[in-house]
Amino acid sequence: MSAASKNAFSNNDIMVDISVTLGTADLRVHQLLKLGRGAVVELDRDINDYVDIYANDVLIGHGEVIVTDHETIGISITDTVSK
């Protein structure tokens, strides 16, 4: 591969889908269909438990939910998972 070809690709060109899982819940279809506005689905984690952080559906770490200075939700990364 030539030097020009190597420079054509950079980390800035790679898209990664980041997702965070707060917890999970198992519901039967009839329970799911009954959910409406204001319904609460209880998850399998406590309020102080970590959340899972995924990159392209691969677990890469854990974190804590925070509120940013701009009043949006963010994730503070507490540890990373290495394979």
Side-chain angles (χ1 to χ4, degrees):
M1 186 178 272
S2 70
S5 296
K6 287 180 183 177
N7 290 334
F9 296 100
S10 71
N11 289 341
N12 295 334
D13 297 327
I14 301 170
M15 296 295 295
V16 177
D17 181 39
I18 301 295
S19 60
V20 176
T21 301
L22 299 172
T24 60
D26 292 320
L27 297 174
R28 298 189 188 282
V29 173
H30 76 277
Q31 293 171 309
L32 182 63
L33 294 173
K34 287 183 181 179
L35 295 178
R37 183 180 213 112
V40 175
V41 176
E42 190 169 335
L43 302 176
D44 63 348
R45 300 227 177 122
D46 291 330
I47 190 77
N48 294 320
D49 285 350
Y50 63 83
V51 296
D52 295 327
I53 304 167
Y54 293 87
N56 292 340
D57 296 324
V58 175
L59 181 66
I60 61 164
H62 301 103
E64 297 174 337
V65 178
I66 62 165
V67 177
T68 68
D69 293 337
H70 303 290
E71 297 298 316
T72 60
I73 297 172
I75 302 299
S76 173
I77 299 172
T78 57
D79 68 283
T80 58
V81 175
S82 59
K83 290 190 174 194

